[in-house]
Amino acid sequence: MKLIDGNAIAESIIEELTAEVSQIQGKKPVVAFIRVGDDPASVSYVRKKERTAERIGIESRLYLLPDNVSKEALFAQIDSLNADPEINGILIQAPLPKHIDETETFNRVLPGKDVDGFNTLNIGKLCQEDDSGFVACTPAGIVELIERSQIKTEGKHVVVLGRSQIVGKPAALLMMRKALPGNATVTVCHSRTQDLAKITRQADILIAAIGRANFVTGDMVQEGVAVIDVGINRVEDSSKKRGYRLVGDVEFQAVAPKASQITPVPGGVGPMTVAMLMHNTLRAFKASQAG
C-alpha cells in the first residue's frame, strides 16, 4: 500500500505557482474572499487560504459580512467585486446562513471570476468538456492527486460515493471525460443506492465523498483498489486536547491494507483544494490580462 501524500503534492503545486507568479511584472493576481458570519471552521479555512495566497504572491482581500446580512446586501458586495477590474477571483466561503440560497449566490459571481467553479456556466462547460471554464477546486484536486500518483484511469471502473454539486457530480464528469485522467467507466452511488457494497467492491478507484465518518469498511472494497477519501468528519476523542479527531469517509485501518494507494485524512484531499483555488486564481488573472 502506498500512502498518497496530499500535503507533499499540494506543496509541489504551490511551489510551481510561486515560481510563475514571481515572473509576473507589475500587477499581481488578486483574489477576494467573502465570509458571512464567524463559523469557526469557515474562519480557519479562509485564514489558510489567505496564508497560501500570501506565500505564492497572490494578493487576497477579505470581506466580512454579519450572519444576518440580507441577500440584497450580500449580492451588492458580489456585484461590486464583479465590477472591480482589480479583482481576478471571488470566493464565497460556504456554508452560508440558512436564509440565503447558496446556488443563487454562487451564480451571482461572474463566470470569469468564479475560481470556486460553482457557477452554472462553469459546471456546464465541464459537462461539455470545454477547458475554458473553471473546475471546482476539490474535484480538480482529486484529478491532480490521481495524475501525480500515476493512478491509471483509462478503462478502469471508478465508483464515486456522493452526488453533491461541489464534489461528487464534477468528479464523476472528470473521470468520464475523453482525456487523461479520465476515460473511465463511472458509477455514482448515493443514499438511495441498493446493495451499495456490491458496487463499491467492483471499484478499481473509489472516490468517497459521502460525508459520513468511517462509512466505507474493509469488506466494501476489493484488493488493489485506489482510494481517494474526500471526507472530513469530527469524531469525539477524549485523548485529544480539543476533544475530537478528524477522520475520513473511509475506515482507514480496515481499508488501507487492501488498497494499492490511499489518501489519509487529514493530509490527503484537503490541501489540494486550497492549491487548486490558487491555480484557478492565476488562470483568471492570465485570462484578464489577455482580454
Side-chain angles (χ1 to χ4, degrees), residues 143-207:
V143 167
E144 286 291 324
L145 281 178
I146 287 172
E147 184 168 29
R148 294 181 187 229
S149 300
Q150 298 180 327
I151 297 171
K152 305 300 182 190
T153 59
E154 185 160 2
K156 301 298 184 182
H157 188 183
V158 176
V159 175
V160 180
L161 277 181
R163 53 179 169 179
S164 72
Q165 302 278 11
I166 61 175
V167 182
K169 287 178 182 175
L173 288 166
L174 287 164
M175 288 295 98
M176 71 174 73
R177 66 183 174 166
K178 295 176 182 175
L180 291 175
N183 283 331
T185 299
V186 180
T187 302
V188 178
C189 299
H190 45 77
S191 58
R192 300 294 187 270
T193 299
Q194 295 185 359
D195 204 355
L196 178 64
K198 182 180 179 182
I199 298 171
T200 57
R201 278 193 293 269
Q202 298 172 33
D204 299 306
I205 300 166
L206 180 66
I207 300 172

Side-chain angles (χ1 to χ4, degrees), residues 43-57:
V43 172
S44 174
Y45 290 147
V46 171
R47 192 175 295 134
K48 183 172 184 179
K49 291 165 186 172
E50 288 179 300
R51 287 198 299 264
T52 305
E54 184 179 6
R55 270 192 64 195
I56 293 169

Side-chain angles (χ1 to χ4, degrees), residues 97-115:
K98 288 185 170 59
H99 67 280
I100 295 177
D101 182 85
E102 287 193 353
T103 300
E104 188 181 0
T105 304
F106 295 144
N107 280 328
R108 193 77 179 194
V109 178
L110 286 176
K113 297 190 178 189
D114 170 39
V115 289

Side-chain angles (χ1 to χ4, degrees), residues 69-88:
V69 67
S70 67
K71 182 180 86 168
E72 290 74 21
L74 173 58
F75 282 14
Q77 178 65 80
I78 295 169
D79 292 345
S80 171
L81 297 172
N82 279 336
D84 186 343
E86 285 197 358
I87 302 294
N88 304 118

Side-chain angles (χ1 to χ4, degrees), residues 7-278:
N7 283 320
I9 295 173
E11 187 65 27
S12 296
I13 294 169
I14 288 166
E15 288 173 2
E16 291 163 12
L17 294 173
T18 303
E20 192 169 349
V21 171
S22 71
Q23 299 300 311
I24 297 171
Q25 302 298 315
K27 180 183 177 296
K28 303 288 188 181
V30 181
V31 61
F33 300 126
I34 297 177
R35 199 189 80 217
V36 179
D38 293 309
D39 172 72
S42 293
V43 172
S44 174
Y45 290 147
V46 171
R47 192 175 295 134
K48 183 172 184 179
K49 291 165 186 172
E50 288 179 300
R51 287 198 299 264
T52 305
E54 184 179 6
R55 270 192 64 195
I56 293 169
I58 293 172
E59 181 186 341
S60 66
R61 300 180 188 177
L62 178 59
Y63 298 84
L64 301 176
L65 299 171
D67 257 326
N68 62 353
V69 67
S70 67
K71 182 180 86 168
E72 290 74 21
L74 173 58
F75 282 14
Q77 178 65 80
I78 295 169
D79 292 345
S80 171
L81 297 172
N82 279 336
D84 186 343
E86 285 197 358
I87 302 294
N88 304 118
I90 301 170
L91 178 138
I92 299 157
Q93 184 62 47
L96 293 172
K98 288 185 170 59
H99 67 280
I100 295 177
D101 182 85
E102 287 193 353
T103 300
E104 188 181 0
T105 304
F106 295 144
N107 280 328
R108 193 77 179 194
V109 178
L110 286 176
K113 297 190 178 189
D114 170 39
V115 289
D116 243 346
F118 294 160
N119 183 286
T120 297
L121 184 64
N122 282 321
I123 295 171
K125 285 186 174 185
L126 176 58
C127 289
Q128 294 182 336
E129 302 190 26
D130 180 344
D131 291 339
S132 68
F134 291 111
V135 176
C137 301
T138 300
I142 290 169
V143 167
E144 286 291 324
L145 281 178
I146 287 172
E147 184 168 29
R148 294 181 187 229
S149 300
Q150 298 180 327
I151 297 171
K152 305 300 182 190
T153 59
E154 185 160 2
K156 301 298 184 182
H157 188 183
V158 176
V159 175
V160 180
L161 277 181
R163 53 179 169 179
S164 72
Q165 302 278 11
I166 61 175
V167 182
K169 287 178 182 175
L173 288 166
L174 287 164
M175 288 295 98
M176 71 174 73
R177 66 183 174 166
K178 295 176 182 175
L180 291 175
N183 283 331
T185 299
V186 180
T187 302
V188 178
C189 299
H190 45 77
S191 58
R192 300 294 187 270
T193 299
Q194 295 185 359
D195 204 355
L196 178 64
K198 182 180 179 182
I199 298 171
T200 57
R201 278 193 293 269
Q202 298 172 33
D204 299 306
I205 300 166
L206 180 66
I207 300 172
I210 207 163
R212 293 173 63 180
N214 295 322
F215 179 83
V216 178
T217 53
D219 63 340
M220 293 175 67
V221 299
Q222 66 172 330
E223 292 284 345
V225 64
V227 180
I228 308 294
D229 189 351
V230 185
I232 302 179
N233 310 285
R234 291 184 180 187
V235 296
E236 290 184 12
D237 187 340
S238 57
S239 70
K240 300 293 184 183
K241 185 177 179 181
R242 54 193 177 185
Y244 66 89
R245 59 191 166 88
L246 296 178
V247 301
D249 291 352
V250 175
E251 191 180 358
F252 186 87
Q253 297 300 331
V255 173
K258 298 179 77 171
S260 59
Q261 298 197 51
I262 188 169
T263 58
V265 176
V269 175
M272 298 297 296
T273 300
V274 179
M276 298 315 294
L277 170 67
M278 299 304 152

